[in-house]
Amino acid sequence: DAKTTQPNSMESNEEEPVHLPCNHSTISGTDYIHWYRQLPSQGPEYVIHGLTSNVNNRMASLAIAEDRKSSTLILHRATLRDAAVYYCILRKGGSEKLVFGKGTKLTVNP
Amino acid sequence: KAGVTQTPRYLIKTRGQQVTLSCSPISGHRSVSWYQQTPGQGLQFLFEYFSETQRNKGNFPGRFSGRQFSNSRSEMNVSTLELGDSALYLCASSLEAAVSRDTQYFGPGTRLTVL
């Protein structure tokens, strides 16, 4: 399984943008980059995914490097409700299996 | 549309017993996956079912098994429980199977404690 590398923790202030990095140097051409987050005492929640181009949705933006070896999840204005563990996952074609790493624990300060 | 539901939410068992956990996917979803979450190992994939067939299996002993019914509901069973089986067991459903762009929707989990 292709691996991803994320910082263990990051801190942000409320109302400020947050950039969560992820390295995936062994990504293959058909791997989709998925981001999930897990709020305390809840199951993981889908955030966003992409293949090659940058993606935006109501929750976040995903910026993918041109060589696809890294990506960045962008929360445009962090709120206290965004405090969670964020997982960057490479999703292989032909498999439902999500391989979770340790993720990045995001703390949002008021 | 109702989300993924898991029952029971909490369970306490003793070593040597067996346990069955249930998962009802989102209506219309045909794929169900199971994950185990522990503080030490994090989130680990157990297995995935689609159309009543197990399509993929993680690296867990044979004590962990599952099945899927014709209505897509799924159950997982753990026999001969060990202390190390204490974990949050998460179920996730998706519309199709093995589509890498597809989103998985997770339930709230069943917290299993083995004494």
Side-chain angles (χ1 to χ4, degrees), chain B residues 6 20 30 39 45 54 64-65 70-71 82 91-92 98 100 103 108:
Chain B
Q6 293 187 244
T20 299
R30 298 169 63 193
F45 173 80
Q54 187 182 89
F64 292 82
S65 62
S70 57
N71 61 358
E82 300 176 0
C91 165
S100 57
T103 298

Side-chain angles (χ1 to χ4, degrees), chain B residues 40-111:
Chain B
Q41 299 297 319
L43 273 152
Q44 293 185 287
F45 173 80
L46 277 157
F47 29 64
E48 179 246 332
Y49 287 88
F50 178 76
S51 292
E52 302 177 66
T53 301
Q54 187 182 89
R55 292 178 54 93
N56 206 348
K57 191 176 187 325
N59 189 24
F60 279 82
R63 300 186 296 107
F64 292 82
S65 62
R67 59 177 176 169
Q68 186 181 34
F69 302 96
S70 57
N71 61 358
S72 294
R73 191 176 70 84
S74 177
E75 288 181 348
M76 69 162 281
N77 184 78
V78 187
S79 62
T80 320
L81 284 166
E82 300 176 0
L83 294 179
D85 297 333
S86 294
L88 180 67
Y89 289 89
L90 292 155
C91 165
S93 77
S94 59
L95 197 58
E96 302 177 42
V99 177
S100 57
R101 64 184 180 278
D102 203 6
T103 298
Q104 288 196 10
Y105 296 87
F106 284 80
T110 294
R111 172 75 61 186

Side-chain angles (χ1 to χ4, degrees), chain A residues 32 34 36 38 91 96 98, chain B residues 35 37 94 98 100 102 104:
Chain A
Y32 275 78
H34 285 246
Y36 282 74
Q38 188 171 21
R91 179 88 180 270
E96 283 293 291
L98 295 179
Chain B
Y35 294 82
Q37 185 171 29
S94 59
S100 57
D102 203 6
Q104 288 196 10

Side-chain angles (χ1 to χ4, degrees), chain B residues 8-28:
Chain B
R9 292 293 312 277
Y10 302 91
L11 205 48
I12 299 175
K13 292 285 188 180
T14 56
R15 278 182 298 175
Q17 288 186 308
Q18 75 166 22
V19 67
T20 299
L21 312 181
S22 180
C23 171
S24 292
I26 291 172
S27 177

